[in-house]
Amino acid sequence: MWSSSQASTTRGVVEMGRVEAGPSHFPKRSASRNPARINLSRIHAVKPCSAGDRSGISVKCNLGWSSQPSPDLRHHFRGHSSASEAVLTSQSDLRKLFVGNEKIGVLLLNLGGPETLDDVQPFLFNLFADPDIIRLPRLFRFLQKPLAKFISVARAPKSKEGYASIGGGSPLRQITDAQAEALREALCEKDVPAKVYVGMRYWHPFTEEAIEQIKRDGITKLVVLPLYPQFSISTSGSSLRLLESIFREDEYLVNMQHTVIPSWYQREGYIKAMATLIENELTKFSEPQKVMIFFSAHGVPLAYVEEAGDPYKAEMEECIDLIMEELEKRGITNPCTLAYQSRVGPVEWLKPYTDETIIELGQKGVKSLLAVPISFVSEHIETLEEIDVEYKELALESGIKNWGRVPALGCEPTFISDLADAVIESLPYVGAMAVSNLEARQSLVPLGSVEELLAAYDSKRDELPPPVIVWQWGWTKSAETWNGRAAMLAVLVLLVLEVTTGEGFLHQWGILPLHR
């Protein structure tokens, strides 16, 4: 089954429309990093990942976008010229400046999953009814739902087996609800009372349901937070496209100020939490220093990255870069590699693939492997069944003797606290303009509105192939293949008719003898 799993939030001070990184956060890195670290997905030899050259990193970091605070805030921001002189020196400053009498809401976005076996088929229907999963020619768009019904019914039995093996349903909603409550409590402790909502893309509670509750609660400032650490137009982008269509049709939502935290893989709390989980699991091996750290990320179609400029691959590689640096600070220098899982359909996906890489590592003599589900923050079918069952079996069959797996973050306190900080730091930009610096080719998605983000990073959606292709029209390889097969079948049928009936063009032209 194809599912998800996705630029860092503002950090530090706002100075005359510029954002600078505070000293307590990882600085944004330039696109050119140590080649040995960039191509982590190509590293299969058993050698430590180098830390890279950090001598050129500056504390201050221009994220490549500008904001326009309201005039009454500019006076407050003026005069602070360094990251060490933080304007927002305490949570109370934020509360006074950006909360006040406002009703703050946080909308957590996630994929969703069937909670019972009876939910599997309707969940699959919602998935395949999404035009970004199966894209039909415009003339046949009316067949979208009937086709989704047919595919979901056909695939439901196999999918039910997978969900039955992990307890009869996905735990994703339960975990996401717990994360929402933990985030609400963390915000409250930081003097920012806010209501936290959960909006799922393909199952309850749907994004539409969350939006209706947001309206009923009279929220005036909304922070949209996809629960994908790295941004991709296939995960966060899909949820944001849905939000955009909802916002357009509702006058209340049009007037409600909002901003989006599109990804947060660079945040210090997230990096430290991931490093701690890895460190804990390494201690369970008899020889921790000989364990290969195997980062397995959810894949995306290659065209999204190469043709549409999806930052997912770059963000994923930088995320692993930062995690390995944090581990090295703790004296952990294990070898590592990256691969992509969960591909589906005939289109090419990001490589190397997780299953092929596991086999290759076994052939190269790797004996201990620690799987790290790097693009997931909650346990679900792809961690509990695909990694824990399928990939574990494949690893053992490939000669890997010792297998371990890092759990998803869930409600890990450091992670939740850092998410709360991300929300607080985004409050100055709710309703502000945020412009992407595309010429600088920033790997990060800027903070901004739903519409701005989609305009900057999802402009080629209609031109990109979906993961599942039913038919592809035009002068394409797919069309040529199917047209050729259709022509061969037509010729064969005509020959059969000519021979069996004795009539037809070949007989009339004298190519075949007349049947008497």
Side-chain angles (χ1 to χ4, degrees):
M1 185 190 333
W2 185 76
S3 69
S4 112
S5 95
Q6 313 112 318
S8 152
T9 67
T10 54
R11 302 183 282 277
V13 301
V14 183
E15 178 193 359
M16 301 297 288
R18 185 181 67 202
V19 173
E20 298 177 334
S24 63
H25 296 275
F26 287 109
K28 181 185 180 304
R29 313 253 300 222
S30 62
S32 58
R33 301 191 298 278
N34 186 333
R37 296 295 297 279
I38 290 179
N39 297 320
L40 286 172
S41 57
R42 302 288 187 262
I43 298 175
H44 302 315
V46 183
K47 63 179 182 179
C49 293
S50 61
D53 183 7
R54 284 171 285 204
S55 59
I57 294 177
S58 171
V59 171
K60 293 185 179 181
C61 176
N62 191 330
L63 294 186
W65 60 275
S66 62
S67 62
Q68 299 175 357
S70 58
D72 57 326
L73 296 180
R74 290 176 183 167
H75 174 72
H76 184 87
F77 294 149
R78 194 174 291 114
H80 296 272
S81 58
S82 71
S84 61
E85 297 179 276
V87 174
L88 306 178
T89 56
S90 68
Q91 304 294 350
S92 60
D93 287 341
L94 278 169
R95 175 145 168 55
K96 292 175 183 177
L97 279 170
F98 307 114
V99 179
N101 295 323
E102 300 283 358
K103 291 187 175 182
I104 306 298
V106 181
L107 175 59
L108 302 181
L109 299 177
N110 212 331
L111 180 84
E115 298 175 69
T116 69
L117 295 182
D118 291 336
D119 297 335
V120 171
Q121 188 272 319
F123 167 77
L124 292 176
F125 171 81
N126 294 333
L127 181 71
F128 292 114
D130 182 357
D132 290 314
I133 304 299
I134 297 180
R135 194 168 303 151
L136 296 175
R138 189 178 302 276
L139 184 62
F140 297 100
R141 293 280 171 85
F142 69 95
L143 293 175
Q144 185 82 46
K145 290 187 176 181
L147 183 62
K149 182 72 173 180
F150 173 79
I151 296 176
S152 64
V153 170
R155 293 188 60 148
K158 181 65 175 177
S159 294
K160 285 183 178 180
E161 292 179 9
Y163 283 105
S165 69
I166 63 171
S170 173
L172 186 61
R173 176 176 182 174
Q174 180 181 358
I175 296 172
T176 308
D177 285 344
Q179 289 171 328
E181 177 59 20
L183 178 59
R184 185 196 65 78
E185 292 176 356
L187 286 168
C188 187
E189 291 174 0
K190 297 173 185 286
D191 270 342
V192 180
K195 291 191 175 183
V196 182
Y197 306 86
V198 173
M200 300 293 191
R201 185 66 179 88
Y202 301 118
W203 199 242
H204 300 285
F206 292 112
T207 303
E208 295 89 340
E209 298 173 32
I211 291 296
E212 286 302 314
Q213 188 60 51
I214 287 171
K215 290 168 59 179
R216 286 193 294 268
D217 291 343
I219 297 300
T220 57
K221 289 184 179 293
L222 182 67
V223 177
V224 181
L225 177 57
L227 287 177
Y228 307 103
Q230 304 82 17
F231 179 89
S232 173
I233 60 178
S234 63
T235 53
S236 303
S238 177
S239 294
L240 294 179
R241 282 190 293 273
L242 175 61
L243 270 184
E244 182 185 36
S245 65
I246 296 173
F247 281 11
R248 282 179 179 174
E249 299 171 359
D250 194 294
E251 184 178 355
Y252 178 91
L253 299 174
V254 168
N255 295 323
M256 180 182 63
Q257 295 181 336
H258 76 277
T259 194
V260 181
I261 304 174
S263 66
W264 30 269
Y265 68 93
Q266 279 190 324
R267 294 194 59 85
E268 183 179 23
Y270 168 73
I271 296 298
K272 287 184 178 296
M274 287 299 302
T276 297
L277 291 179
I278 293 172
E279 185 177 15
N280 292 341
E281 291 302 316
L282 284 173
T283 62
K284 299 178 181 179
F285 289 83
S286 58
E287 296 181 289
Q289 70 280 3
K290 295 184 179 181
V291 177
M292 166 73 77
I293 300 175
F294 185 84
F295 293 97
S296 184
H298 194 290
V300 300
L302 184 63
Y304 289 6
V305 174
E306 294 190 345
E307 299 177 24
D310 192 332
Y312 179 74
K313 182 175 183 288
E315 292 190 5
M316 183 62 68
E317 290 173 349
E318 186 172 7
C319 175
I320 294 171
D321 230 13
L322 293 172
I323 292 173
M324 293 307 298
E325 285 184 9
E326 175 62 25
L327 287 172
E328 286 159 9
K329 292 176 184 177
R330 306 180 186 190
I332 299 172
T333 57
N334 291 59
C336 65
T337 193
L338 166 65
Y340 297 91
Q341 68 180 83
S342 308
R343 68 186 187 275
V344 70
V347 301
E348 187 174 1
W349 288 57
L350 285 179
K351 292 182 178 180
Y353 300 138
T354 293
D355 51 357
E356 295 177 357
T357 303
I358 289 175
I359 295 173
E360 183 178 349
L361 290 174
Q363 293 172 345
K364 289 181 177 294
V366 173
K367 297 302 180 184
S368 299
L369 202 63
L370 177 61
V372 184
I374 189 62
S375 52
F376 313 109
V377 298
S378 304
E379 303 291 359
H380 62 301
I381 188 72
E382 291 175 15
T383 60
L384 299 175
E385 200 273 334
E386 190 169 3
I387 294 180
D388 288 353
V389 179
E390 295 180 20
Y391 292 150
K392 180 180 179 180
E393 291 178 357
L394 180 62
L396 297 178
E397 292 171 358
S398 302
I400 295 170
K401 302 297 184 183
N402 307 301
W403 169 273
R405 202 262 285 181
V406 171
L409 282 165
C411 293
E412 201 278 336
T414 303
F415 164 59
I416 294 296
S417 179
D418 193 60
L419 278 188
D421 289 339
V423 170
I424 292 171
E425 292 165 19
S426 72
L427 290 177
Y429 304 96
V430 174
M433 296 293 290
V435 181
S436 170
N437 187 356
L438 295 180
E439 293 182 358
R441 297 185 180 277
Q442 298 288 346
S443 64
L444 299 181
V445 182
L447 250 170
S449 69
V450 169
E451 186 176 1
E452 288 167 336
L453 289 173
L454 292 179
Y457 288 91
D458 204 10
S459 58
K460 292 188 176 182
R461 179 175 66 89
D462 292 334
E463 303 172 19
L464 291 170
V468 180
I469 301 176
V470 177
W471 185 272
Q472 196 170 1
W473 300 91
W475 295 105
T476 63
K477 291 182 179 180
S478 173
E480 292 176 15
T481 299
W482 284 101
N483 290 340
R485 292 172 180 173
M488 292 175 62
L489 181 62
V491 170
L492 181 61
V493 170
L494 288 175
L495 285 174
V496 171
L497 290 175
E498 289 269 359
V499 173
T500 56
T501 65
E503 298 178 358
F505 290 108
L506 297 180
H507 286 79
Q508 292 177 4
W509 294 341
I511 298 177
L512 290 178
L514 293 176
H515 177 71
R516 298 182 183 278

